Amino acid sequence: AIRIADDVIPRSLAESDPPLWQRALQRARVSDLKPVCLCRSDPVPMQVACLGDKYVLKRNPYTGHLHDAECDSHG
């Protein structure tokens, strides 16, 4: 899951409800809200990129190792 401001959003939303996922990422990007990954007890900062007309959740550079080994952003 990720947290954007006070909202906790499951990553599974990207597949179960893509329009809602896109709105959440768009809100973060437009409002300059920094999402954090909740894969560990110490949240890991993330960022939202805009690729064409789609918003994408991305890990910050050089932070892959900070994510839990089971996290999609680990690596």
Side-chain angles (χ1 to χ4, degrees):
I2 62 168
R3 186 177 66 230
I4 300 173
D6 292 330
D7 297 326
V8 174
I9 304 164
R11 286 181 182 237
S12 61
L13 194 64
E15 291 184 23
S16 65
D17 193 343
L20 187 56
W21 175 254
Q22 284 295 301
R23 285 194 300 275
L25 295 182
Q26 179 184 30
R27 178 179 149 249
R29 175 80 179 200
V30 170
S31 301
D32 200 31
L33 298 171
K34 303 300 180 195
V36 293
C37 184
L38 302 176
C39 65
R40 296 207 170 210
S41 58
D42 189 18
V44 183
M46 303 281 289
Q47 58 184 304
V48 176
C50 186
L51 300 175
D53 62 347
K54 299 286 184 195
Y55 293 90
V56 181
L57 180 67
K58 300 183 72 141
R59 69 176 182 239
N60 286 344
Y62 312 109
T63 63
H65 67 285
L66 299 176
H67 291 268
D68 185 88
E70 299 297 316
C71 181
D72 291 343
S73 295
H74 183 269

